[in-house]
Amino acid sequence: PPPSLPVIDPMAAVLRAIPKSAASAAVAVTVAAAARSADCSDDHVPSLDLGWSHHGPLAAFDAKAVRRGFQVYKEVCSSCHSVNRVNYRNLVEYGAWSESEVKAMAEDVDVIDGPDSSGEMFERPGKLSDPLPSPYANDERSEE
């Protein structure tokens, strides 16, 4: 068999060229920098622990508070403000309503959809995938 060529590791060659004490110092600096980067920045302000029940990303919302907040939005805020990035299905995800309750809420709203096979727009009952209705017909109306 032909003789195999030696495998040259570029990093090993660099480390052999550096004196042992300098290599140790470089490793120590790298480890210290990595440990510091795991810390927060100097202007970090930690959140206060107020003992609320909804701490953490996997915790639940207070269902009664979510219902009250949505009622306030519907009765007061929705006359001027939209939450067009919130769909009816998101209300189920918050856990304050069952899927059947949210379906009933969505079906109470007529949604303009289409075009149909004849090219006309039509109204249909809302469904879970629809966004909550905007108070304005379009963006131009919202700027008036």
Side-chain angles (χ1 to χ4, degrees), residues 17 30 42 48 50 60-61 63-64 79 84 94 99 104 115 121 123 125 128-130 144:
T30 304
D42 292 335
L48 297 175
L50 301 175
F61 292 104
K64 291 179 182 176
S79 62
N84 56 359
Y94 296 144
E99 186 172 338
M121 301 300 279
E123 286 189 358
L128 290 177
S129 60
D130 291 325
E144 293 179 350

Side-chain angles (χ1 to χ4, degrees), residues 98-122:
S98 68
E99 186 172 338
S100 59
E101 289 174 312
V102 177
K103 278 185 181 178
M105 278 193 276
E107 289 171 354
D108 287 342
V109 177
D110 290 328
V111 176
I112 298 175
D113 201 358
D116 59 12
S117 58
S118 62
E120 299 294 322
M121 301 300 279
F122 60 93

Side-chain angles (χ1 to χ4, degrees), residues 28-118:
V29 168
T30 304
V31 169
R36 179 65 184 143
S37 68
D39 292 341
C40 295
S41 62
D42 292 335
D43 63 346
H44 170 74
V45 178
S47 62
L48 297 175
D49 182 9
L50 301 175
W52 293 342
S53 62
H54 58 277
H55 275 267
L58 301 177
F61 292 104
D62 177 22
K64 291 179 182 176
V66 172
R67 284 179 175 256
R68 281 191 307 271
F70 184 70
Q71 181 179 358
V72 168
Y73 167 76
K74 271 189 351 185
E75 294 175 4
V76 180
C77 308
S78 69
S79 62
C80 299
H81 301 278
S82 72
V83 286
N84 56 359
R85 303 243 192 282
V86 177
N87 293 4
Y88 283 102
R89 69 174 170 259
N90 299 126
L91 300 179
V92 176
E93 294 169 2
Y94 296 144
W97 295 273
S98 68
E99 186 172 338
S100 59
E101 289 174 312
V102 177
K103 278 185 181 178
M105 278 193 276
E107 289 171 354
D108 287 342
V109 177
D110 290 328
V111 176
I112 298 175
D113 201 358
D116 59 12
S117 58
S118 62

